[in-house]
Amino acid sequence: LARIKEIMNQFGLETSDIVASGAYDILLQGLTLRDLDQGKIQSRFQITGSIPLNLKKDESILWMFTNAARSEPRINVSYAGGSQGVSFRIMKGLSYRVGAFKGHRVETASQASKGTGDLYVTSHGIYFVGSLGAYSLAHGKITAVVQYSDGIVVSPDRGKAQTFLLSDPHFATELILKLGSLQ
């Protein structure tokens, strides 16, 4: 950090200039990943104000992704087919129908929205606090993290995979995987 301050002084940059450009977040991300590569779990992330989490005594927040959207897979089931048969008139106003229905089950997959909110990555797990509820998962329960261009899919050892659309999926993937390997 001393070298960075020296460079800032040479170019006449203030901390507010670095923060406004987004370079400060990139620097913190790089330092956080470097710490994890060295086996150190330490928080460099500063949160102002209160947080809606009940953290454990030795748990710290390593990063927070704001305006994240959470969804999970949903299977919709319907039946398609038709019936055939014959109706016999027994008397006026009363008929008897003989026939059968032949069809098949049709399943369609979709993503069910679970709201938008903040995704916290802590030293013990991930927490999502959103408009439609909360979700948490310990790092030891995560079996896979798949990165996409606009988000990540976190697969737990039990339950449904969770999709998070967020601003920096590459960093989120690296952060969660590195933390999981240290558990």
Side-chain angles (χ1 to χ4, degrees), residues 48-80:
T48 56
S50 64
I51 57 166
L53 300 178
N54 188 14
L55 298 174
K56 295 178 178 77
K57 184 177 178 182
D58 60 340
E59 188 172 16
S60 59
I61 296 173
L62 290 147
W63 204 262
M64 179 179 78
F65 297 92
T66 57
N67 298 320
R70 176 179 155 238
S71 64
E72 65 184 25
R74 175 178 22 191
I75 303 295
N76 298 317
V77 178
S78 62
Y79 291 88

Side-chain angles (χ1 to χ4, degrees), residues 153-171:
V153 176
V154 178
S155 298
D157 58 359
R158 290 187 180 165
K160 296 180 179 180
Q162 301 295 308
T163 301
F164 298 98
L165 301 179
L166 40 87
S167 59
D168 194 346
H170 178 72
F171 173 65

Side-chain angles (χ1 to χ4, degrees), residues 2-167:
R3 177 74 176 130
I4 293 170
K5 293 222 182 260
E6 181 183 322
I7 293 169
M8 287 173 58
N9 289 337
Q10 285 179 351
F11 289 101
L13 297 172
E14 298 293 326
T15 304
S16 60
D17 298 327
I18 304 297
V19 171
S21 71
Y24 186 71
D25 284 346
I26 294 169
L27 174 65
L28 283 181
Q29 288 175 353
L31 292 172
T32 301
L33 292 177
R34 186 189 69 187
D35 290 344
L36 293 173
D37 283 338
Q38 295 172 351
K40 294 186 278 185
I41 299 176
Q42 69 180 34
S43 178
R44 294 179 179 270
F45 188 74
Q46 301 294 323
I47 294 180
T48 56
S50 64
I51 57 166
L53 300 178
N54 188 14
L55 298 174
K56 295 178 178 77
K57 184 177 178 182
D58 60 340
E59 188 172 16
S60 59
I61 296 173
L62 290 147
W63 204 262
M64 179 179 78
F65 297 92
T66 57
N67 298 320
R70 176 179 155 238
S71 64
E72 65 184 25
R74 175 178 22 191
I75 303 295
N76 298 317
V77 178
S78 62
Y79 291 88
S83 64
Q84 63 185 41
V86 161
S87 293
F88 298 103
R89 182 173 177 193
I90 297 174
M91 66 162 93
K92 186 176 181 179
L94 182 63
S95 297
Y96 179 72
R97 177 162 175 80
V98 177
F101 174 82
K102 291 199 177 200
H104 58 279
R105 180 180 168 124
V106 177
E107 293 182 356
T108 55
S110 64
Q111 287 288 323
S113 174
K114 296 297 181 180
T116 58
D118 298 325
L119 176 65
Y120 298 87
V121 180
T122 72
S123 53
H124 290 189
I126 62 171
Y127 298 86
F128 177 81
V129 180
S131 57
L132 298 178
Y135 175 81
S136 65
L137 184 62
H139 288 299
K141 303 272 183 190
I142 296 173
T143 58
V145 180
V146 179
Q147 175 188 333
Y148 293 95
S149 62
D150 59 349
I152 60 173
V153 176
V154 178
S155 298
D157 58 359
R158 290 187 180 165
K160 296 180 179 180
Q162 301 295 308
T163 301
F164 298 98
L165 301 179
L166 40 87
S167 59

